[in-house]
Amino acid sequence: MSQSHAQAYFGRRYTLSASHRLHTETLTAAQNRDAYGKCNNPHGHGHNYVVEILVGGPVNSETGMVVDLAGLDALVGAKIMARFDHANLNADPAFDQQVPTTENLCRTIFALLKDGLPAGKLESVRIEETENNFFECRSVPSEPLGREDH
Ligand code: NI
């Protein structure tokens, strides 16, 4: 295997402060309290989410990098930070039809970034919600494209 086939990964961490209330209209008030506990409190609560973005791919022979860092920062700034930082997640259209759990926030961020990055670059989005809880959303390997070198 030549070095040009090695895949490298680059991770970058962003901090995002947002509030949410875990509640779904499909459950009764009692069921919501059972499912979400304190997180169902009507006034909501906040988190300082640590969002880790992992991108992978071949190292660019010219720049020596896996991804354009400034481009990644700009993308995350525009698509994620501008939208969710210091926001009430329940008020965002992304959570009209889904509860703003961190699982769903992770999936939402993954989908928003995937579209803005070159195909196959986004490996995972991992979110630390608290010291004890973290969530991760990963790309699922698709059928490999036909290769001439194997
Ligand atoms: Ni919470």
Side-chain angles (χ1 to χ4, degrees):
M1 182 172 148
S2 70
Q3 197 184 13
S4 64
H5 288 94
Q7 171 117 323
Y9 298 89
F10 170 76
R12 190 148 169 87
R13 191 174 288 136
Y14 303 86
T15 303
L16 190 166
S17 300
S19 67
H20 68 173
R21 180 197 182 200
L22 303 186
H23 182 87
T24 175
E25 297 299 333
T26 62
L27 297 177
T28 65
Q31 287 171 328
N32 268 290
R33 280 195 298 275
D34 283 348
Y36 301 121
K38 284 193 295 187
C39 298
N40 184 239
N41 180 311
H43 301 295
H45 61 277
H47 292 284
N48 293 316
Y49 297 101
V50 178
V51 181
E52 295 178 348
I53 311 296
L54 187 69
V55 292
V59 175
N60 182 292
S61 59
E62 219 168 45
T63 65
M65 295 162 82
V66 169
V67 68
D68 169 25
L69 176 55
L72 179 66
D73 279 352
L75 178 72
V76 172
K79 296 276 187 185
I80 309 302
M81 302 306 282
R83 181 167 176 176
F84 298 119
D85 192 31
H86 288 79
N88 170 9
L89 298 180
N90 296 72
D92 189 282
F95 300 105
D96 274 351
Q97 305 293 325
Q98 57 177 352
V99 184
T101 57
T102 304
E103 290 91 328
N104 282 334
L105 179 62
C106 212
R107 289 201 309 176
T108 299
I109 290 176
F110 189 95
L112 289 168
L113 293 181
K114 191 169 188 284
D115 290 345
L117 286 166
K121 281 275 184 194
L122 183 60
E123 286 292 328
S124 67
V125 173
R126 180 179 184 273
I127 302 181
E128 285 184 18
E129 182 193 54
T130 67
E131 219 170 280
N132 299 320
N133 292 349
F134 62 89
F135 304 83
E136 189 162 339
C137 189
R138 294 183 195 172
S139 65
V140 177
S142 54
E143 287 297 308
L145 297 171
R147 288 187 182 166
E148 290 171 6
D149 56 347
H150 284 265

